[in-house]
Amino acid sequence: MILPFENEPYADFSVDQQRSSMACALDAVRRRLGLEYPLRIAGRPETAAERFSSINPSNPEQVIGSHPKATPAQAAAAVDAAARAFPDWSRTPSLERVRHLLAASTLLKRRKHEFNAWLVLEAGKSWIEAEAETSEAIDFCEYYAREMLRFESPPPLVQMPGEFGRLRYLPLGAGVIVAPWNFPLAILCGMTVAALVAGNTVIVKPSSETPTVGALFVDLLLEAGFPAPAIQFITGGGAAIGDTLVAHPRTRFISFTGSREVGLHINVLAARTQPGQIWIKRVIAEMGGKDAIIVDDSAELDQAAAGVVASAFGYQGQKCSACSRAIVHDAVYDRFLDMLAVRAGALSIGPAEDPAHALGPVISDRARRTILGYIEKGKADAKLITPTGAAVPDRGFYVPPAIFADVPPSSILFREEIFGPVLAVSRARDFEHALALANDSDYGLTGAVYSTSRQHLDLAASSFFVGNLYLNRKCTGAMVGAHPFGGFNMSGTDSKAGGPDYLLQFLQAKSIAEKL
């Protein structure tokens, strides 16, 4: 008997036992740094002539793992292998697929702090952020296992006289999973296991910034009983192999999380029918955001300031759901700005391995330079109110929190996704003006409103155009089962990960009517 779904509880690192367990996991993982990991194609490990390494963004001299740069030929071979494996895996009873997924969840729970440690070292996550991510991966396994059972027994159809009608959900085929670096376990896990439990085979391509976490997760799936031919694992630059994976005529779907630019390119490429292709490829895309939190003149300002700072600077602002715009009613603007500056100034910055630090590094030196470039450009039309010379460690890719005041809607700070610890604060005359400013974006992923006015909250519920709206709470931290995740416009296809509709992305419905 499978019990009803419940979210995985977070470890409390203020408890000595949990803190000690996490510290031991970090020590154990450090002893495994620098190992080589293979590609996995057709159930066999493979290598390539060229390799690359992932590094610790807190300490760039520390190599996390060494990985092959797959060639386009190997990428094509991986798609062919996944397509060949599809008939057997698709005919595997759904209950057996569910059992494998629940076994994967059990393994993740058993090795939770180990995966936390890899996230800390390869992705630069704080202990708390890593714990939240591993818990989310567990939730995806548990939730999608139960969802597959629900789709296995759909509600009955209207029965025509003299007929027996039923509906069946079938898997699609071989699909490409293109995962991001900012959630290299949770998002990679969610996209992968949803496709697998639905009966599809997959080609998993992690980000080149965080491939080791991806390799370890694929190993865990194999340990849980998923057949090796059903899961191909490919590492390397997207520019080198991405187009091959997407354009291949045997690729049935692409599940992507990443930048707007790459997501749009995938969508265009997938729409081009290739010789021998007999289907319209399905694209599931999550492409980022320029998320706003509105603070009106009735808001509980302490609560709102805490929510904005947590949303803007958690994991160094490297979340598609992060608050990058705070839109504040003029009557409380100056007071609220002071509160933000005080809270941001209290955030300690340092190596992610040290739980004393609230903020760690950004993912790479390239990201650091890009973020600092935005900060310099932003000074042309807005006022930077946080210190520019905040102390950061000598090693690592660190960017102190940057808060800009009086940001106009025309500013690059207001319009472009920066993906770093940069917050644009803008004034609003009234709530309707604040709502108009919040909606003035190409994106529509998350948003939040802090207000004690029922009228304002109801207006936001109907007119704040985002896929995930939060009222009187921060705009990050979507929970599986409670907050189906995905956005509008240039934020993607609104696929609602972690919700009751998500498995439909990986299934197709077949209506069967039998004359009696």
Side-chain angles (χ1 to χ4, degrees), residues 270 331 388:
T388 56

Side-chain angles (χ1 to χ4, degrees), residues 261-496:
E261 179 184 14
V262 175
L264 292 178
H265 174 71
I266 286 173
N267 200 52
V268 169
L269 190 58
R272 296 177 187 155
T273 305
Q274 304 296 322
Q277 181 180 325
I278 62 170
W279 44 60
I280 299 172
K281 295 180 183 179
R282 192 175 291 182
V283 175
I284 306 105
E286 198 277 278
M287 304 189 309
K290 190 65 182 174
D291 310 301
I293 292 181
I294 294 173
V295 181
D296 80 1
D297 56 341
S298 74
E300 297 286 348
L301 294 188
D302 282 335
Q303 180 189 44
V308 170
V309 168
S311 300
F313 303 126
Y315 189 40
Q316 297 76 260
Q318 298 175 119
K319 301 178 183 180
C320 54
S321 59
C323 173
S324 58
R325 297 180 296 153
I327 299 169
V328 185
H329 192 287
D330 188 68
V332 296
Y333 183 90
D334 291 331
R335 184 154 51 108
F336 189 72
L337 200 62
D338 290 340
M339 296 170 71
L340 290 179
V342 169
R343 285 183 174 271
L347 297 173
S348 61
I349 306 172
E353 298 98 300
D354 185 346
H357 298 306
L359 302 184
V362 297
I363 191 64
S364 67
D365 187 53
R366 183 175 68 173
R368 184 184 68 84
R369 286 185 278 110
T370 298
I371 296 163
L372 292 176
Y374 272 106
I375 291 171
E376 285 304 309
K377 292 175 184 176
K379 293 176 183 178
D381 50 18
K383 180 182 178 182
L384 181 63
I385 65 167
T386 48
T388 56
V392 297
D394 293 334
R395 291 188 299 180
F397 310 128
Y398 297 95
V399 179
I403 299 176
F404 282 88
D406 299 324
V407 178
S410 59
S411 172
I412 192 172
L413 300 172
F414 191 92
R415 309 219 67 82
E416 295 190 14
E417 185 179 35
I418 299 172
F419 226 67
V422 181
L423 175 65
V425 187
S426 301
R427 293 178 186 266
R429 296 185 301 272
D430 51 36
F431 190 76
E432 288 74 14
H433 182 219
L435 200 55
L437 288 172
N439 285 330
D440 184 13
S441 174
D442 294 343
Y443 298 96
L445 185 52
T446 75
V449 175
Y450 283 91
S451 173
T452 57
S453 165
R454 186 73 254 166
Q455 180 183 1
H456 289 174
L457 296 177
D458 289 345
L459 182 58
S462 64
S463 302
F464 196 158
F465 199 67
V466 292
N468 286 72
L469 177 64
Y470 302 99
L471 304 178
N472 289 315
R473 57 147 283 183
K474 65 190 181 78
C475 67
T476 55
M479 297 297 291
V480 172
H483 312 124
F485 190 80
F488 305 153
N489 296 348
M490 286 298 171
S491 287
T493 57
D494 195 34
S495 55
K496 287 295 179 273

